Amino acid sequence: MKRITRRSILAAAPSALVLTAVPARAEKQYGPGVSDTEIKIGNTGPYSGPASSYGTIPKSMAAYYKMVNDQGGVNGRKINFMSYDDAYSPPKTVEQVRRLVEQDGVLLVAASLGTPTNSAIWNYMNQKKVPQLFVSTGATKWDDPKHHPWTMGWQPNYQSEGRVYAAYIVEHKPDGKIGVLYQNDDFGKDYLKGLKDGLGDKAKSMVVIEAAYETTDPTVDSQIIGMKAAGCDVFVNTGIPKFAAQAIRKAAEIEWKPLHILSSVGTSVAATLKPAGLENAKDLVTDFYIKDPTDPQWQDDQGYKDWLAFMDKYYPEGDKTDAGNVYGPSVSQTVVQVLKQCGDELTRDNVMRQAANLHDFTVPMLLPGIKINTSPSDFAPVKQIQMARFDGERWRLFGPLISGSVTG
Amino acid sequence: MELLLQQLMAGLATGAIYAAMALAVVMIYQAIDHLNFAQGEMAMFSTFLAWQMIQWGQPYWVAFIGAVVLSFLGGIAIERVLFKPIRTAPILSQLVAFIALYGILNSSAGEIWDFTIKTFPTPFGTAPLFGQNLISTHQAGMIGVTLAMLGLLYLFFRGSRLGLAMRAAAANPDSARLVGIRVGWMLALGWGMSAAVGAVAGMLIAPVVFLEPNMMLGVLLYGFAGAVLGGLSSPGGAVAGGFAVGVIENLAGTFIPYVGRELKLTIALVLIVAVLMVRPSGVFGRAVVSRV
Amino acid sequence: MTIPPQETAVLTRERPRGAAVARAGPRHLTIGVAIVVALLLPLLTTSFVTFQLTLVMIYGLAILGLNLLTGFNGQFSLGHSAFYGIGAYTAAILMDQGELAYYWTLPCAGVLCFAVGFLFGLPALRLQGLYLALATFALATAMPQILKFHPLEPLTGGVQGIAILKPDPPPGVPLSADQWLYYFTLAVLLVMFGGAANLVKSRTGRAIMAIRDHPLAAAAMGINTALYKTLTFGVSALYTGVAGALGAIAVQFVAPDSFTFLLSVSLLVGLVIGGVASIPGCLVGGLFVLFVPNIAESISRGLAGAVYGVILLLVIYVMPSGAAGLARILTARLASIRSIRTEGRST
């Protein structure tokens, strides 16, 4: 739960904003950063520092906007994507976002990366009434239109995913002993909370080992050994690719074969499973909302082919095995859709209105069937996920599209 | 009991990583009297060079030796080009130069090779050692190579004239100059050797932790902790310290209830500091006696 | 043989009183001008730049804390991010849960950090050089882990951190919140920098520096090295803690991963760039820490880290003793040029 003081002050601020769907009016109305030829969009991301591996996400976004501009822009206006480095440091994010809003005069800030970084600017954006759209993090707190009407998430949040895992475990191993590997920060702890909430009263008895790791830890071998020794027969592995891969490999090494659930963060065939050993990853279960570009099943998929062409032309130096490079363009497509829906009424008010007015919008690299829907009371664009099992070569999707909906 | 044994062995295995790094840290410390923040990044960069050579079709041993040689030369070059001009600058300024080197190497590696993890081969295989599931053959190999390097370095420094000259240059540069030792080149040699040791360490570590630009920061800091614990004046102590850090951390994480899991790094460091209270120069270090 | 009177004057060359004042004059003038400029800046520039300058002052103050310990007292610390973090969280918790006014959080943060620093300084007495560095590194690493620690979450907000509101100017004052915070920070800065300058010039300061330069001689002269070293640790922590509290107020948010070891490294870089053992240099350090990463980024976003490293190296080459060292060299050159000219005139 978030901690805000003097809620009353903040609650008063958004009452001016009316979040009803209003059709775009005919005359031009421009907010800051907009002209007849240009729309300025702001963004921050970790181009340097400890999280610089995620720096490719904003880079892929920039490439995508370049493609949009080459194809004529949005309603005739080119997108000026201004992205700054915050080194994943919240004070730096505050500085860069203030620069974007106060000095560069952007219309909105799109898809800034990170939970603590976005938390740092959360109140500022809502006080200044600048759209903080589609933040690149799965933290649950962003779906809060009542108190933070200017902020919206995008991907399915981690707690929802955790609950889905809980439901799956309860269905398939109701008496299981669960070991959880999680990153010792907001992202990892959110998964853990979702899992435990989903298990409800059974959490205390089922979750036997909660093993944290820090990103500076060299290995997680010790945690895996501990889980096997404790008799765990269910393993919820929410690590980022490096640690997820280490865990998969170690489990195989010590001949521990639990019901192994991987989080959507660590599913990439090339980035996680291959290094871990494809044979070791057999029978892993996970959830997906976005297509893994390294999974052979999408080879002939039109969305994948288009994405590949985009990468070849606009971001050739980007790593085609990095899921972040699928995430970036997908979020950007959503931004472009919002801007399109605004028409000529490109004010911040209307941007938020249109962002809360997405109906069955599809993005090619999301799983087939997943549709983006938002409303004034529903700030979770992508809610659906689907489970999959690894067969040693590719992920086999199974079951229905599950709608996870935990709000912050 | 079995858990204790398993965690102990896992701790030794992880400790081997830290020990290899600690050895490189102490090597350069003995040569230049400072901690080189960029040591880990140099090792990482060397490992990437080896990986690239393997990608270009070279067999493992060619890449291994190639990387070691390139690192040796690179270390010498870094010393001659980057650090010679500031050798007379205050210590803290030199420290900042190390930090700069860290940034350059880390950022460049990320740009050149991306951040997706890569596998790095091991010459030792990964089967469980002696069929037991305690450690793998690679981890045993890593421990063996670290100890072998330690032995070689010991022989070099104690038994060879060059080694003696290097020690003299580090301990008392002025007197060493007076007896005809080329102090500048001794320092460069120290850098080169430390870079080479780092390269070997990196290539041993990468198969375990996966190769990526950020793989070494944690290892360097743990290696540093191990080196300090063991005593910066004692390479053997540093290696022992590295192993100790691995074991302490694993055992703390497993057996200390409640706090162990989230605070294991803190606990490990607190224990090390506690040891330093009793032995301020490290367990095996020699206390420096200064003449008034 | 008697020496003619005018030669005696030349030989003894007692500096006339005026000259002493003249030597102090330019320095005081510079400080005066700087203060005036500092007072005018927020009125002449945007809110955003005012905010940046406030951060520069805050980092400068944090660096001054580190400087007192490492620069003036020779105790190497990699742990000041912990003191900054403690100060920041003290302010955040007191404002968020204690509903305390922002200005009271500064003394609270200061006192708490002094205590922590002093207590840490006690065992640190036994450690030197890199061993001390490791102990302080342990402190820096422990800080985020403790802040994220589950049982402490009700207090610290855990990984989600704590958000606080920026203080408004007192009623009737026609300034924006940013400008008010700037002036508040400036006032705190002047008081604390002045205090540090006084400390350094005093007998205590000389004792502290003596311990840095010749610890054995200092002890032999009767200086209680243990007491001074631990007190310096405490004062140093106090300064950085107050900076942390101001930082929390300025950024309006605290989270555990804002206060990692990397912050300690930044402070160290700022210290060196500004000039070790130079008080005004700390502000140069603050400027560097805030603006140079932005400059590096504008040169190459992908290689921002590498460009930053290159800039760092270049700066070290050009001014190995930091900005203060460079200033010293330049003023010495100017003074020697001036004295050559005056001597030329008098002979």
Side-chain angles (χ1 to χ4, degrees):
Chain A
M1 264 307 180
K2 57 210 176 297
R3 299 170 137 273
I4 312 291
T5 54
R6 294 174 225 162
R7 249 183 210 206
S8 51
I9 300 176
L10 288 172
S15 62
L17 178 62
V18 175
L19 287 173
T20 50
V22 173
R25 283 185 260 152
E27 335 98 62
K28 291 185 198 171
Q29 279 196 301
Y30 289 162
V34 184
S35 72
D36 284 346
T37 50
E38 164 182 272
I39 305 174
K40 283 197 206 162
I41 300 182
N43 170 272
T44 58
Y47 291 96
S48 69
S52 45
S53 51
Y54 298 113
T56 190
I57 296 180
K59 283 188 206 171
S60 66
M61 292 182 197
Y64 183 77
Y65 290 123
K66 186 154 186 301
M67 183 174 87
V68 168
N69 288 342
D70 279 354
Q71 291 170 353
V74 178
N75 291 332
R77 295 179 186 86
K78 300 266 160 103
I79 294 182
N80 184 354
F81 183 64
M82 310 179 79
S83 176
Y84 293 135
D85 178 22
D86 68 1
Y88 210 72
S89 164
K92 195 76 191 170
T93 315
V94 172
E95 187 198 336
Q96 301 290 38
V97 167
R98 287 195 66 167
R99 183 200 307 271
L100 286 166
V101 172
E102 295 173 34
Q103 208 169 62
D104 296 324
V106 297
L107 179 66
L108 60 114
V109 174
S112 285
L113 202 143
T115 304
T117 43
N118 274 299
S119 300
I121 57 171
W122 206 19
N123 287 344
Y124 173 80
M125 295 294 278
N126 280 277
Q127 274 167 357
K128 286 268 192 200
K129 307 204 178 142
V130 181
Q132 186 186 8
L133 278 191
F134 309 143
V135 291
S136 297
T137 120
T140 313
K141 62 210 268 192
W142 313 120
D143 182 10
D144 183 23
K146 220 158 98 188
H147 300 113
H148 292 90
W150 293 89
T151 307
M152 193 183 287
W154 189 79
Q155 66 195 77
N157 61 55
Y158 305 131
Q159 281 188 33
S160 310
E161 289 187 75
R163 286 186 184 230
V164 168
Y165 307 147
Y168 186 86
I169 295 172
V170 165
E171 192 189 324
H172 290 91
K173 259 208 194 297
D175 299 317
K177 286 164 113 175
I178 306 175
V180 185
L181 180 70
Y182 68 98
Q183 191 160 300
N184 192 15
D185 64 7
D186 46 78
F187 138 77
K189 289 198 171 191
D190 230 10
Y191 268 119
L192 186 62
K193 180 170 195 310
L195 180 73
K196 284 161 81 164
D197 286 348
L199 292 170
D201 297 323
K202 298 177 97 178
K204 273 224 152 58
S205 55
M206 288 183 83
V207 179
V208 172
I209 300 245
E210 293 175 23
Y213 71 86
E214 302 274 358
T215 48
T216 48
D217 284 350
T219 75
V220 291
D221 289 355
S222 165
Q223 288 92 323
I224 307 303
I225 293 175
M227 285 186 202
K228 181 183 179 195
C232 293
D233 54 3
V234 180
F235 176 32
V236 179
N237 180 355
T238 70
I240 54 178
K242 170 169 156 165
F243 298 104
Q246 285 180 0
I248 297 170
R249 193 181 56 177
K250 190 69 188 173
E253 253 174 54
I254 58 174
E255 288 172 8
W256 181 45
K257 281 205 151 306
L259 165 61
H260 192 144
I261 300 180
L262 201 58
S263 87
S264 61
V265 166
T267 51
S268 166
V269 172
T272 310
L273 301 185
K274 275 222 186 85
L278 290 177
E279 344 64 69
N280 299 332
K282 207 151 170 293
D283 289 334
L284 252 57
V285 171
T286 189
D287 68 307
F288 269 100
Y289 63 95
I290 214 165
K291 292 177 190 162
D292 173 7
T294 61
D295 191 323
Q297 73 176 301
W298 304 117
Q299 283 288 348
D300 295 318
D301 177 79
Q302 189 57 42
Y304 169 72
K305 290 203 228 169
D306 290 340
W307 175 80
L308 204 59
F310 153 73
M311 287 294 286
D312 281 333
K313 184 155 180 225
Y314 289 96
Y315 191 26
E317 69 274 22
D319 187 349
K320 294 191 184 62
T321 63
D322 191 335
N325 289 331
V326 178
Y327 184 93
S330 301
V331 178
S332 306
Q333 284 167 343
T334 322
V335 174
V336 167
Q337 175 64 21
V338 169
L339 292 175
K340 275 203 192 121
Q341 279 180 210
C342 286
D344 279 336
E345 193 189 338
L346 285 159
T347 60
R348 288 174 173 163
D349 272 343
N350 199 23
V351 165
M352 271 331 281
R353 229 177 286 137
Q354 297 310 323
N357 189 24
L358 293 167
H359 296 300
D360 284 350
F361 176 60
T362 53
V363 168
M365 280 306 269
L366 288 177
L367 287 187
I370 291 188
K371 297 200 181 6
I372 292 181
N373 278 294
T374 55
S375 81
S377 57
D378 170 14
F379 270 25
V382 183
K383 293 186 245 333
Q384 298 154 298
I385 52 181
Q386 193 171 11
M387 309 274 310
R389 187 175 291 111
F390 194 68
D391 68 0
E393 203 185 279
R394 65 183 65 185
W395 287 102
R396 297 256 170 228
L397 296 162
F398 66 87
L401 285 177
I402 307 173
S403 229
S405 49
V406 179
T407 53
Chain B
M1 194 53 218
E2 197 191 321
L3 178 63
L4 175 64
L5 190 61
Q6 284 177 334
Q7 292 289 5
L8 200 63
M9 292 307 290
L12 281 176
T14 326
I17 299 176
Y18 306 148
M21 203 65 230
L23 190 59
V25 165
V26 165
M27 277 273 348
I28 193 129
Y29 182 77
Q30 299 220 305
I32 64 169
D33 232 29
H34 316 313
L35 169 68
N36 179 4
F37 267 123
Q39 191 91 45
E41 303 314 288
M42 287 164 64
M44 175 271 295
F45 207 87
S46 309
T47 314
F48 265 112
L49 288 175
W51 181 86
Q52 189 64 71
M53 285 189 257
I54 295 177
Q55 296 305 108
W56 284 334
Q58 301 298 329
Y60 177 83
W61 287 110
V62 172
F64 182 90
I65 293 174
V68 171
V69 168
L70 280 174
S71 307
F72 179 75
L73 296 172
I76 292 181
I78 290 177
E79 198 280 332
R80 292 276 92 184
V81 172
L82 288 180
F83 288 97
K84 181 155 172 253
I86 55 168
R87 208 171 322 131
T88 48
I91 293 180
L92 288 173
S93 302
Q94 298 188 35
L95 218 62
V96 169
F98 293 138
I99 294 171
L101 190 59
Y102 176 100
I104 294 172
L105 287 172
N106 184 285
S107 189
S108 313
E111 265 300 281
I112 301 173
W113 287 295
D114 284 320
F115 288 93
T116 322
I117 60 176
K118 298 167 173 43
T119 48
F120 192 82
T122 166
F124 299 114
T126 47
L129 187 65
F130 306 133
Q132 303 268 36
N133 273 328
L134 291 176
I135 55 172
S136 69
T137 46
H138 171 76
Q139 288 167 327
M142 187 158 55
I143 297 176
V145 170
T146 306
L147 293 174
M149 272 200 301
L150 180 64
L152 282 173
L153 287 171
Y154 182 81
L155 287 174
F156 173 75
F157 277 115
R158 298 271 152 185
S160 74
R161 290 200 52 160
L162 191 56
L164 184 62
M166 282 178 72
R167 283 164 59 209
N172 198 334
D174 294 322
S175 301
R177 239 176 241 122
L178 289 173
V179 297
I181 294 175
R182 313 252 327 252
V183 169
W185 280 104
M186 291 300 111
L187 286 177
L189 201 58
W191 266 85
M193 287 178 64
S194 146
V197 171
V200 175
M203 290 190 278
L204 288 175
I205 292 172
V208 180
V209 303
F210 294 121
L211 178 61
E212 49 109 12
N214 287 322
M215 76 176 186
M216 285 309 248
L217 178 61
V219 174
L220 174 66
L221 295 173
Y222 280 99
F224 169 52
V228 169
L229 175 65
L232 288 165
S233 51
S234 158
V239 169
F243 281 113
V245 169
V247 171
I248 293 173
E249 214 215 346
N250 263 17
L251 295 182
T254 314
F255 293 109
I256 297 184
Y258 205 44
V259 295
R261 266 173 257 119
E262 284 190 29
L263 293 183
K264 58 180 190 174
L265 175 55
T266 305
I267 293 173
L269 289 172
V270 164
L271 284 173
I272 293 175
V273 173
V275 170
L276 285 180
M277 290 294 106
V278 176
R279 303 227 6 129
S281 295
V283 174
F284 297 104
R286 241 171 305 113
V288 176
V289 177
S290 49
R291 313 251 304 271
V292 179
Chain C
M1 180 174 125
T2 50
I3 303 167
Q6 62 270 40
E7 302 231 16
T8 321
V10 170
L11 286 169
T12 53
R13 185 67 66 148
E14 200 179 302
R15 295 210 187 281
R17 282 259 190 83
V21 173
R23 244 188 311 141
R27 199 196 172 95
H28 287 165
L29 191 62
T30 325
I31 295 179
V33 167
I35 294 181
V36 169
V37 169
L39 285 168
L40 290 175
L41 274 173
L43 306 170
L44 302 170
T45 180
T46 63
S47 250
F48 172 64
V49 176
T50 305
F51 169 72
Q52 284 186 306
L53 293 172
T54 311
L55 286 179
V56 167
M57 288 194 283
I58 290 172
Y59 288 135
L61 188 61
I63 292 171
L64 178 58
L66 181 62
N67 206 354
L68 287 173
L69 187 66
T70 302
F72 288 102
N73 195 229
Q75 294 191 72
F76 188 36
S77 167
L78 285 174
H80 270 56
S81 59
F83 300 126
Y84 190 90
I86 294 174
Y89 264 86
T90 307
I93 293 173
L94 288 174
M95 282 175 75
D96 181 57
Q97 297 190 11
E99 302 273 332
L100 194 64
Y102 63 97
Y103 35 84
W104 289 123
T105 62
L106 295 181
C108 293
V111 166
L112 180 61
C113 287
F114 178 84
V116 174
F118 187 88
L119 289 172
F120 192 84
L122 285 171
L125 286 172
R126 289 185 51 97
L127 302 174
Q128 302 279 355
L130 279 182
Y131 300 94
L132 178 61
L134 180 69
T136 52
F137 165 70
L139 186 62
T141 318
M143 200 67 231
Q145 289 214 317
I146 293 174
L147 289 170
K148 289 191 267 192
F149 190 42
H150 193 63
L152 291 178
E153 261 175 48
L155 187 68
T156 63
V159 290
Q160 300 291 346
I162 305 175
I164 50 184
L165 291 179
K166 201 188 316 231
D168 287 315
V173 177
L175 293 171
S176 71
D178 282 318
Q179 289 169 330
W180 171 251
L181 189 61
Y182 174 93
Y183 286 121
F184 180 73
T185 309
L186 181 62
V188 172
L189 187 86
L190 289 173
V191 166
M192 296 192 76
F193 266 60
N198 269 342
L199 177 70
V200 164
K201 276 194 218 124
S202 71
R203 282 187 59 195
T204 318
R206 285 199 292 276
I208 289 172
M209 288 191 276
I211 294 172
R212 171 195 66 193
D213 296 329
H214 295 287
L216 285 167
M221 300 276 283
I223 296 175
N224 186 344
T225 41
L227 180 66
Y228 278 110
K229 282 174 85 168
T230 41
L231 278 177
T232 310
F233 226 110
V235 171
S236 158
L238 186 153
Y239 268 69
T240 306
V242 169
L246 283 168
I249 297 170
V251 173
Q252 301 173 260
F253 180 74
V254 292
D257 286 318
S258 303
F259 307 114
T260 62
F261 169 65
L262 294 173
L263 175 62
S264 281
V265 172
S266 284
L267 294 177
L268 187 67
V269 169
L271 172 66
V272 171
I273 300 292
V276 172
S278 153
I279 294 180
C282 298
L283 286 172
V284 175
L287 278 167
F288 189 91
V289 165
L290 190 75
F291 286 112
V292 171
N294 295 350
I295 297 173
E297 188 197 344
S298 60
I299 295 177
S300 158
R301 194 155 297 132
L303 282 169
V307 174
Y308 180 76
V310 169
I311 296 177
L312 212 52
L313 280 175
L314 288 172
V315 169
I316 297 285
Y317 287 165
V318 168
M319 23 188 232
S321 298
L326 188 69
R328 241 176 276 137
I329 294 175
L330 288 176
T331 45
R333 286 252 174 89
L334 276 171
S336 72
I337 293 174
R338 202 183 294 141
S339 69
I340 289 173
R341 247 190 247 134
T342 50
E343 285 203 26
R345 242 180 271 138
S346 61
T347 44

